[in-house]
Amino acid sequence: MSIFDDETPGSDHTSAPDQSRWKSEPNEGRRPLRERIGWIAITVAIVIGVIFAFMPSPYVIEQPGPVYDTLGVAENGDDEEVPLIEIPDETTYPTDGELNLLTVSVVGRPGQTPNWLEVLAAWFDRTRSVIPVEAIFPPGISSEDRDAQNQAAMVDSQQDAIAAALVELDYDFPREVTVAGLLEGSPADGILEEGDVIVSFDGTDVNSITELQTAVREHGTDAPAQVDITRDGAPLTVEVTPVDRDGTAVIGVGVRMVYEFPIDVELQLDDVGGPSAGMMFALGIVDKLTPGPMTGGEIFAGTGTIDSAGRVGPIGGIRQKLWGAERAGADWFLAPESNCDEVSGNVPDGVTVFAVKTLDEARTIVEDVADGEVTGSYPSCPA
């Protein structure tokens, strides 16, 4: 027998009610504090990220710009279509196909740069490049001054293109390397004067800026060089000793080309700056002054500076220009040989690239492609 009566079956004794079932769980309906803090932190990070994404970056974006066929027409400042190349007083011949010059558009400028979201998208787009804003817009130079410089470079490039084309076609005309400015304290200061025409340097005739630079570099800095000039129409010989600057022999003179063309050639392209259209303009002039379509109906694109001797020089933005050519339907691309390091790895499918050093090489390639005589012997940039 149990000594506790309440354990006896049938006992009237009842146990105390279970109070725990009337108590609510302390966290019921509420997230733990740590979880709430985590969600708040995530929300704040997202808000900060969104704000940062739309903040201006210190970069601008280069992307393919408009494409212009030098054998075709373009709108001028009055919204009228005019030929890019017009030779009013000479016999010209029908053309076919396209000889496209290429441009690069810059998105942004100081004070109006792309936001970080746009920059991120450009970084993952192989047709565009992200560039520090000061690389395109140097400090201390206003956008207006930069645009004026680019426009002046285009005008000079067009003059050089006309000269190169006429030299290629065996026209004879004066090409004068003229002193435009002197660096104070330089070897040429006090010896040469603004307006002097440099005829030869160290016995080498100079008919282009490139030829003068080459002659100075080859002479070196060890001894004076004899410089034949024309001053106020009279011949004169002076001596200048080049000095070394950053590993290159220089005489401290700024020069520009002055031409007296035997025929009138008008190049009409507004709102495009820089010197990179020179080679394509020269090819277009040659095509218009030569019987028979040079291209054979093919679509070419290309880029490169040019001097009056027909030497093709490097340019910027060639990666974007390659994609501009692809979008324009070009099958063939003429690139300066000195840009091959930037071409390799960036050639769109279906575009064949030729590396050229001179206008004559570019002309030969175009004519041979038109005749179906393309071979693997033509210089190219490694893919």
Side-chain angles (χ1 to χ4, degrees):
M1 171 184 267
S2 170
I3 61 174
F4 297 108
D5 292 339
D6 58 343
E7 290 186 2
T8 305
S11 168
D12 293 332
H13 176 78
T14 58
S15 301
D18 185 359
Q19 299 296 323
S20 63
R21 63 186 179 133
W22 303 102
K23 295 178 181 178
S24 62
E25 294 294 331
N27 291 323
E28 185 178 338
R30 299 175 59 193
R31 295 182 182 275
L33 179 61
R34 181 179 299 176
E35 184 177 343
R36 282 184 286 144
I37 292 174
W39 279 108
I40 291 172
I42 291 172
T43 302
V44 170
I46 291 173
V47 171
I48 292 174
V50 170
I51 293 173
F52 180 78
F54 288 96
M55 289 180 62
S57 71
Y59 299 101
V60 294
I61 298 169
E62 288 185 336
Q63 62 187 21
V67 177
Y68 300 94
D69 178 15
T70 60
L71 303 177
V73 298
E75 286 189 356
N76 62 13
D78 298 323
D79 296 328
E80 298 175 343
E81 285 195 341
V82 296
L84 265 71
I85 300 172
E86 193 164 22
I87 310 172
D89 300 323
E90 288 292 305
T91 300
T92 56
Y93 300 91
T95 61
D96 198 1
E98 297 178 17
L99 291 170
N100 290 311
L101 66 84
L102 306 156
T103 68
V104 175
S105 295
V106 177
V107 179
R109 57 177 54 222
Q112 297 179 341
T113 55
N115 61 47
W116 284 102
L117 193 62
E118 293 169 316
V119 168
L120 182 63
W123 260 320
F124 289 97
D125 184 347
R126 63 183 305 195
T127 71
R128 299 191 286 171
S129 295
V130 177
I131 310 291
V133 65
E134 62 272 12
I136 305 296
F137 300 92
I141 300 178
S142 68
S143 296
E144 292 76 15
D145 288 342
R146 175 183 174 274
D147 292 342
Q149 291 173 359
N150 282 338
Q151 189 59 40
M154 171 60 98
V155 172
D156 289 344
S157 171
Q158 290 178 352
Q159 294 295 293
D160 292 338
I162 296 170
L166 297 184
V167 169
E168 174 71 15
L169 295 173
D170 297 324
Y171 283 85
D172 186 24
F173 59 96
R175 293 179 284 153
E176 297 178 346
V177 182
T178 305
V179 176
L182 296 155
L183 183 63
E184 185 176 352
S186 69
D189 188 21
I191 299 175
L192 297 177
E193 298 178 2
E194 288 190 26
D196 287 348
V197 176
I198 300 176
V199 178
S200 68
F201 189 93
D202 199 28
T204 301
D205 291 343
V206 293
N207 293 298
S208 72
I209 296 173
T210 304
E211 289 177 348
L212 174 61
Q213 292 170 336
T214 301
V216 174
R217 184 171 59 251
E218 291 179 350
H219 176 81
T221 61
D222 295 333
Q226 179 175 294
V227 185
D228 294 323
I229 65 173
T230 300
R231 179 176 295 168
D232 297 326
L236 182 66
T237 298
V238 297
E239 285 191 346
V240 179
T241 303
V243 296
D244 182 273
R245 177 170 295 172
D246 299 328
T248 301
V250 299
I251 59 175
V253 61
V255 295
R256 61 187 178 87
M257 294 302 303
V258 176
Y259 304 111
E260 294 182 27
F261 296 128
I263 62 174
D264 183 23
V265 179
E266 299 174 6
L267 303 183
Q268 306 176 104
L269 182 59
D270 295 336
D271 299 325
V272 175
S276 65
M279 178 181 66
M280 299 310 293
F281 267 129
L283 284 171
I285 295 167
V286 170
D287 194 0
K288 288 203 167 194
L289 289 172
T290 305
M294 180 192 298
T295 68
E298 297 285 340
I299 300 178
F300 288 83
T303 185
T305 65
I306 203 161
D307 67 10
S308 62
R311 294 182 182 87
V312 176
I315 52 83
I318 196 164
R319 178 172 143 197
Q320 285 69 45
K321 291 176 180 179
L322 283 161
W323 288 101
E326 188 262 351
R327 291 176 182 178
D331 299 310
W332 316 96
F333 190 95
L334 303 169
E337 184 186 58
S338 45
N339 276 120
C340 269
D341 58 334
E342 299 174 75
V343 170
S344 298
N346 292 300
V347 180
D349 292 339
V351 178
T352 299
V353 178
F354 298 105
V356 298
K357 294 184 290 186
T358 67
L359 175 61
D360 188 62
E361 287 181 357
R363 178 186 180 185
T364 299
I365 289 170
V366 172
E367 291 175 341
D368 285 354
V369 168
D371 293 337
E373 298 177 1
V374 180
T375 68
S377 63
Y378 290 102
S380 184
C381 301

